[in-house]
Amino acid sequence: PLRYISRLRELVKREAEKNKSQWKTMGPAKVAVPSPNDFLQKHSKEPKLAPKKREQDGKKLLPLSVPPRTYHPVTHIKKNFINKNAVAVITGEPKKPRHFCVDTRQGDKYLLEPSGLFPKYIKKKNYGVLPKYVTQRNEEMKKEEEEYQASVLEQLKKKAMKTLSEEERTNILKALKKNWEEINHAYQGLPILTDTVYKRMHKEELELKLKQLEHDIAAIEKHKSVYIANV
């Protein structure tokens, strides 16, 4: 069979030739050769001033704002440095003596201020005052502690036991007594002879229920206030 030839073959070839550059790998195809008349001359690379503008149509050009080199400003002010220094000395504050400490017989002395013996820091206005970041951190810690205590109290209130009202107490007591009467009636109706395992187990079960009900009734009658936990 004949080999497959795509219909877009010529289009692909044209696109490939179109996107190629002649100097992509080997430089431009043709480079202009410099003329031998354009040789480097002396002072050719130095900056040149712009040519002066001439008067056009009888109009005078405005003078330049830059003064010429020959211009010398006239100065008539003369300062008396002797009087100036004397006034500065008279009106200025006297120089404070520096504190020295002599520690040898030969008179060797050293400055007290950089030595740490001079009380410089305790005389500051902010000496002994807590920094702002410390007070801010203490306030944040106190606030967090209060929020934690409030959350703990809220949790304790949720888990706290509630008190039964008198009406609920009497209703529970009546229900327990009624239940005790029903179970006692069933217990009284048991046969005298318990010759089977089922009869013995049924009798023991009723006796346990009666004892538990009697204990609950006695506890409620003994205590006027009854607390129930919220589980």
Side-chain angles (χ1 to χ4, degrees):
L2 296 175
R3 189 176 63 177
Y4 172 75
I5 298 173
S6 175
R7 292 179 295 174
L8 304 175
R9 184 176 182 183
E10 297 298 329
L11 179 63
V12 172
K13 284 184 178 181
R14 287 199 300 270
E15 289 292 332
E17 292 176 358
K18 182 180 178 181
N19 295 330
K20 284 185 178 180
S21 301
Q22 295 179 357
W23 53 85
K24 199 165 186 180
T25 56
M26 301 299 293
K30 293 181 180 180
V31 180
V33 180
S35 174
N37 296 327
D38 298 336
F39 56 89
L40 185 64
Q41 298 180 1
K42 188 177 182 181
H43 304 294
S44 62
K45 291 189 176 182
E46 292 181 358
K48 296 180 181 179
L49 296 175
K52 292 183 179 180
K53 294 183 179 179
R54 298 181 180 179
E55 296 182 1
Q56 297 178 358
D57 301 330
K59 294 181 181 180
K60 292 184 178 181
L61 298 175
L62 295 175
L64 296 175
S65 60
V66 181
R69 291 183 179 181
T70 58
Y71 174 75
H72 296 286
V74 180
T75 56
H76 299 285
I77 301 171
K78 292 183 178 180
K79 292 183 180 181
N80 192 347
F81 293 99
I82 297 174
N83 294 338
K84 184 180 178 181
N85 294 339
V87 171
V89 170
I90 294 168
T91 57
E93 294 182 358
K95 190 175 181 181
K96 295 181 180 180
R98 304 182 75 180
H99 298 276
F100 290 96
C101 179
V102 181
D103 58 350
T104 61
R105 292 188 304 172
Q106 285 76 19
D108 296 334
K109 59 183 180 179
Y110 57 89
L111 291 172
L112 276 177
E113 186 175 351
S115 66
L117 301 174
F118 189 75
K120 180 173 65 174
Y121 297 100
I122 61 174
K123 293 183 179 180
K124 287 187 175 181
K125 294 181 179 179
N126 57 353
Y127 178 77
V129 181
L130 285 176
K132 291 183 179 180
Y133 73 92
V134 177
T135 55
Q136 185 178 0
R137 184 179 63 183
N138 291 339
E139 290 176 0
E140 290 177 357
M141 291 174 65
K142 187 177 180 181
K143 187 177 180 182
E144 291 177 359
E145 184 67 23
E146 290 177 356
E147 291 177 356
Y148 174 73
Q149 293 293 341
S151 63
V152 170
L153 289 174
E154 188 177 355
Q155 292 294 332
L156 290 175
K157 286 180 181 178
K158 289 181 180 179
K159 295 180 180 179
M161 295 186 293
K162 68 175 184 178
T163 309
L164 286 178
S165 62
E166 188 64 27
E167 185 179 358
E168 292 176 346
R169 179 174 170 274
T170 53
N171 292 335
I172 291 171
L173 195 58
K174 287 178 181 178
L176 289 173
K177 288 181 178 179
K178 184 179 180 182
N179 195 7
W180 183 88
E181 289 176 358
E182 292 176 356
I183 295 174
N184 188 30
H185 181 71
Y187 181 76
Q188 293 295 333
L190 289 175
I192 299 172
L193 184 62
T194 54
D195 52 351
T196 60
V197 178
Y198 172 75
K199 290 179 181 180
R200 286 197 299 270
M201 290 178 64
H202 187 51
K203 184 180 179 181
E204 290 175 358
E205 184 181 356
L206 292 176
E207 287 176 352
L208 288 173
K209 287 182 180 181
L210 288 171
K211 286 182 181 180
Q212 184 64 36
L213 288 170
E214 288 172 359
H215 178 268
D216 295 342
I217 291 167
I220 293 175
E221 287 179 347
K222 182 178 180 182
H223 304 285
K224 292 184 178 180
S225 57
V226 180
Y227 297 94
I228 298 176
N230 294 328
V231 181

